[in-house]
Amino acid sequence: MLDDAVRESLTARAAGAAGSPGIAATAHHAMGRFHLARKNFDDAIAEFEVALKTAPDDARLHSDLGAALMEKSDLEALQKSGRDPRTLDR
């Protein structure tokens, strides 16, 4: 029940932030972390990928995406998602 309320709140924030890329990326990142914590790896990966479209240099997003891909054991996608860490923000 609480999970449903949190998910609805985060989804509404992501939808409402569509005109503000930074806020939208943050909202999608939060949704991804929500799904990752609940072991909903496909949903987490999808949210992280949406967030990365507007924040491609966010090291935390890449880290969380990598964690979700690793948990899902999608090693090929994990290797393809890799970027030179020197080019990411700190």
Side-chain angles (χ1 to χ4, degrees):
M1 196 139 187
L2 178 59
D3 284 355
D4 291 337
V6 171
R7 183 175 46 253
E8 287 175 20
S9 175
L10 291 172
T11 302
R13 286 183 188 182
S20 179
I23 294 172
T26 300
H28 285 289
H29 190 186
M31 279 296 296
R33 290 177 59 100
F34 173 84
H35 289 301
L36 183 59
R38 282 148 186 81
K39 301 188 184 306
N40 298 326
F41 302 122
D42 290 331
D43 292 338
I45 291 165
E47 291 292 344
F48 294 142
E49 289 175 342
V50 170
L52 282 166
K53 289 180 182 177
T54 55
D57 295 329
D58 188 317
R60 290 170 294 169
L61 272 169
H62 283 280
S63 177
D64 288 341
L65 174 60
L69 290 168
M70 188 171 63
E71 288 288 340
K72 186 182 174 192
S73 299
D74 194 345
L75 298 178
E76 183 178 329
L78 179 60
Q79 290 172 337
K80 287 181 182 178
S81 75
R83 297 230 351 235
D84 184 342
R86 296 170 293 180
T87 65
L88 302 175
D89 68 355
R90 304 216 188 275

